[in-house]
Structures are given as C-alpha cells and as structure tokens.
C-alpha cells in the first residue's frame, strides 16, 4: 500500500501534474510527472515527499477490474516512489488494455515510462 504522505489527493495537484508535467505513454498506461513541484500547502521549508495518484476510467472495465488495476498500480508505485525527486507529482492513467494485463506487464510499462521521464531511457 502506498503511504498516506505519498498519495496524491487534491484535484489541483492532479491538474498540475497533467497540465504542467512531462508525459510518457506506453501501451497500457500514460505517466505524467511534474518533478520537484513545491507544495504551497506543506508547512515548513523541508522538501515535500513525492506523491502519486491514479486515474482509471470506465473504459478499463467494470468496478472490480478498475479497483484491481488501481491496487496493482499502487503496489508498483510503492516500490518506485523513492526513485522520484523530492516534491514530484506523478499521475498514472491506465489505458483500456490495463484491465486485461497482468502484474508483470503493468510493471514493465510503468518502469519504461518512469525511466523515460527521469532521463534514463530513449523513446
């Protein structure tokens, strides 16, 4: 499970990541990354933690399938959130094929998208 301090919850934060961040698309998902964004709501001068949010529409499948995809993505991001720069906002949007994909396929696409956004991969 993704810790509470690493969850993206506010609509404004989702909008900031999608509109002002960089994007990497894969066959099963699209990842939006706004790196190093400062959080005006965070108290103090310390660097805010990286946060991730997920968008899984009805095009992915019914409620059971959507929730399963969200659980898989949250589990995958739990291990990868430490790789992100402090204060980053990440939105992972599942595409229709994600409902039929297994855990390994989602992990492969998520890793490829994050690698590209963090500067470690090519198109």
């Amino acid at each position: 499970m993704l810790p509470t301090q690493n969850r993206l919850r506010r609509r404004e934060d989702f909008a900031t990541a999608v509109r002002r961040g960089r994007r990497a698309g894969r066959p099963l998902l699209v990842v939006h990354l706004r790196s190093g964004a400062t959080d005006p709501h965070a108290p103090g001068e310390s660097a805010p933690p990286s946060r991730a949010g997920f968008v899984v529409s009805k095009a992915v499948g019914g409620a059971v399938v959507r929730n399963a995809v969200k659980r898989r993505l949250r589990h995958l991001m739990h291990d990868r959130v430490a790789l992100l720069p402090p204060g980053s906002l990440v939105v992972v949007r599942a595409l229709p094929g994600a409902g039929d994909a297994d855990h390994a396929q989602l992990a492969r696409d998520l890793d490829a998208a994050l690698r590209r956004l963090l500067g470690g991969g090519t198109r």
Side-chain angles (χ1 to χ4, degrees), residues 14-36:
F14 275 88
T16 299
V18 172
R19 291 185 186 142
R20 296 186 182 153
R22 296 175 49 212
R23 179 181 69 212
R26 303 297 303 160
L28 300 176
L29 46 86
V30 176
V31 179
H32 299 268
L33 172 69
R34 169 89 169 151
S35 48

Side-chain angles (χ1 to χ4, degrees), residues 90-111:
V90 177
V91 173
V92 180
R93 184 168 46 95
L95 297 176
D100 299 326
D102 65 0
H103 190 77
Q105 291 171 320
L106 286 173
R108 188 171 44 249
D109 275 6
L110 181 61
D111 286 338

Side-chain angles (χ1 to χ4, degrees), residues 60-82:
V60 172
V64 173
V65 174
R66 291 195 312 269
N67 285 325
V69 169
K70 280 188 276 189
R71 279 194 309 272
R72 286 180 188 153
L73 290 173
R74 273 197 306 265
H75 177 74
L76 290 169
M77 278 306 295
H78 178 269
D79 299 333
R80 291 156 179 82
V81 74

